[in-house]
Amino acid sequence: MTTFQHNLEKYAALVAKTGINVQPGDTVVLQIAVDQAELARDITAACYDLGAAEVIIKWQDDMIDRLHMQHKAHARLVNVPDFQKQEYDYWLANNAKRISVMSSNPDNLKGLDGDRVAAVQKANGQAMLKVRQATQANKNSWTVIAAASPAWAQKVFPDMDEQAATAKLWTEIFKTTRVDQEDPILAWEQHGQKLQAKAAELNAAQYKALHYTAPGTDLTIGLPENHIWMGGPSRSSDGRPFMANMPTEEVFSAADANNVDGYITSTKPLSYAGNTLNNLQFTFENGKVIKATAEEGNAVLQKLLQTDAGVKRLGEVALVPDPSPISQSKITFYNTLFDENASNHLALGSAYAFSIEGGTDMSEEALEAAGLNRSQAHVDFMVGSSQMNIDGLTHDGQIVPIFRNGDWAD
Ligand code: ZN
Ligand code: ZN
């Protein structure tokens, strides 16, 4: 067995155990690209090793996705067929645990008709509504991980040939997911505990708002009453710890959808809907985006902002110190899973129901009334840098330093 094959097996075991924490009798849904067949086999084996009853593979392929987007009859493209919806119902009925493996070329859909791309995103969003709501409420364990594809690797390392770039991206994935350590599962336990301790500090403080300042940024973000910060492992409704993102370096909560004022500028490229968006600027008033521009990908951004009413408000607020290993790698991954874990970020669109006390038992209406944004979209964009300061504003008017020069203040 080569070192690469050995690492791939360690990765698969980590994802099955720490990622979704497979228990005997589980249904597992694995979404993965066809060019990652070896990893798919390893993950399937690792899930069965832990006693899974069934592993369902949903194959994906960038080139075929692009062909569909270019040529499929419009009516077929935007109408998700009933048999597909029935499959989603099957997942829900069997409490499927979901593993999503990201490896797409960030520019896979570049140059295609933006109306068609947006229409498909919307149709899929509606068809997957219940699945997504169950995921966001942590009804069942789920995890998002990455795999290196040649097309993605060459976007990240444009000066290398395809083989070298792919090998380098795998090395970075193994490093940031701690697969290169002797016992990755133990390493993740310790890492998870550190993130949980930070979240506990912020939960005890219950700040009324956070005030962000940096070049191009002066923004105050209200936090809902009884908000919950989380970091490291999540817990599903059956009490099972799991890791929703690997890597993860963030401590995050929900923004108050009605109390965000000021302006903010993104600091890293955002890969969205098969396009790269750069230098985004947003101005907020009473929680709502009243002005938005992007230096690159502006048309895609404007389309995104038309998704629904909720997409113009913030759902998530996340803190990631600039000295985090992903940030220090100085690599732009053009993939949100990595780039959001290199940087403080915010998300337009839906808030996670578990970001407020009792939230996972609340109706959509009750969540909205509590200030948790509802939307079909959830799009993270990166705002952190070594020049960012963040203050916590307390209910009795005190100002407490949380971040100084991009790192935790204490
Ligand atoms: Zn986040
Ligand atoms: Zn997010």
Side-chain angles (χ1 to χ4, degrees):
M1 190 187 283
T2 65
T3 308
F4 174 74
Q5 286 169 328
H6 178 65
N7 280 333
L8 215 57
E9 282 191 3
K10 278 172 81 179
Y11 193 28
L14 176 71
V15 168
K17 177 72 192 163
T18 306
I20 57 168
N21 195 353
V22 172
Q23 305 288 321
D26 275 355
T27 297
V28 177
V29 173
L30 170 61
Q31 292 175 288
I32 192 165
V34 290
D35 59 1
Q36 303 297 335
E38 189 177 355
L39 178 60
R41 291 178 201 120
D42 287 348
I43 291 175
T44 302
C47 290
Y48 283 131
D49 275 350
L50 293 171
E54 178 180 24
V55 182
I56 299 165
I57 315 293
K58 298 293 290 176
W59 295 107
Q60 179 267 336
D61 182 67
D62 272 2
M63 217 171 284
I64 289 173
D65 285 349
R66 190 174 167 90
L67 287 167
H68 284 323
M69 207 60 89
Q70 282 174 302
H71 302 296
K72 206 180 204 179
H74 189 266
R76 300 288 173 87
L77 195 64
V78 297
N79 285 303
V80 178
D82 285 344
F83 67 82
Q84 185 58 67
K85 292 177 191 159
Q86 281 165 8
E87 180 172 11
Y88 298 147
D89 288 342
Y90 178 88
W91 298 359
L92 287 165
N94 288 284
N95 292 314
K97 322 297 179 242
R98 292 173 62 208
I99 301 170
S100 302
V101 183
M102 322 275 287
S103 61
S104 280
N105 176 357
D107 293 329
N108 188 40
L109 303 180
K110 196 173 180 173
L112 298 187
D113 179 351
D115 284 331
R116 272 169 72 90
V117 175
V120 172
Q121 299 250 336
K122 192 169 176 174
N124 288 339
Q126 276 163 355
M128 290 200 77
L129 182 70
K130 281 186 196 154
V131 170
R132 196 180 56 255
Q133 282 172 352
T135 300
Q136 291 196 336
N138 285 347
K139 295 288 181 212
N140 296 293
S141 58
W142 56 279
T143 192
V144 180
I145 66 157
S149 66
W152 174 27
Q154 285 211 292
K155 170 89 182 173
V156 180
F157 304 111
D159 298 334
M160 292 183 186
D161 68 42
E162 189 178 285
Q163 206 180 349
T166 309
K168 169 87 172 136
L169 185 53
W170 269 121
T171 301
E172 293 299 325
I173 291 172
F174 290 147
K175 205 189 288 178
T176 53
T177 54
R178 297 167 168 78
V179 167
D180 64 345
Q181 298 189 25
E182 198 181 312
D183 186 347
I185 291 170
L186 178 68
W188 271 91
E189 255 170 49
Q190 292 163 346
H191 176 54
Q193 282 164 7
K194 272 186 210 157
L195 293 171
Q196 274 179 328
K198 269 292 164 205
E201 277 175 35
L202 290 165
N203 285 333
Q206 282 293 309
Y207 291 112
K208 185 181 164 201
L210 301 181
H211 181 212
Y212 289 62
T213 50
T217 292
D218 187 345
L219 187 73
T220 302
I221 303 175
L223 300 172
E225 299 260 327
N226 301 319
H227 60 268
I228 296 174
W229 290 92
M230 290 186 64
S234 306
R235 205 169 276 275
S236 58
S237 51
D238 58 359
R240 181 186 307 193
F242 69 95
M243 207 63 71
N245 286 334
M246 302 179 85
T248 181
E249 301 287 340
E250 67 175 328
V251 176
F252 67 99
S253 187
D256 179 343
N258 303 309
N259 279 308
V260 182
D261 290 278
Y263 55 93
I264 194 151
T265 304
S266 72
T267 52
K268 283 178 185 289
L270 164 63
S271 179
Y272 171 73
N275 284 271
T276 301
L277 282 64
N278 235 322
N279 289 334
L280 303 110
Q281 289 194 307
F282 297 98
T283 305
F284 289 86
E285 210 175 86
N286 298 322
K288 194 174 166 190
V289 173
I290 55 163
K291 188 168 171 239
T293 56
E295 221 168 80
E296 183 187 349
N298 191 50
V300 178
L301 174 65
Q302 302 308 328
K303 279 262 146 47
L304 162 66
L305 289 171
Q306 287 160 19
T307 310
D308 56 23
V311 78
K312 289 198 168 143
R313 293 175 188 272
L314 291 184
E316 178 192 343
V317 37
L319 301 174
V320 181
D322 188 64
S324 81
I326 300 173
S327 182
Q328 288 309 304
S329 76
K330 303 290 178 206
I331 297 165
T332 298
F333 288 89
Y334 299 94
N335 178 302
T336 304
L337 178 61
F338 288 83
D339 293 329
E340 76 167 347
N341 279 303
S343 172
N344 287 323
H345 59 271
L346 304 169
L348 291 168
S350 200
Y352 291 99
F354 50 74
S355 291
I356 191 170
E357 253 172 70
T360 53
D361 297 321
M362 286 183 185
S363 67
E364 290 295 296
E365 293 72 25
L367 288 169
E368 193 168 4
L372 269 72
N373 198 29
R374 311 321 291 150
S375 170
Q376 283 189 29
H378 178 100
V379 180
D380 297 283
F381 62 98
M382 283 54 80
V383 298
S385 72
S386 61
Q387 289 168 286
M388 177 165 268
N389 293 332
I390 303 173
D391 288 323
L393 311 181
T394 68
H395 283 272
D396 58 6
Q398 292 179 62
I399 299 170
V400 182
I402 296 178
F403 260 60
R404 283 296 174 266
N405 303 315
D407 197 5
W408 296 105
D410 53 57

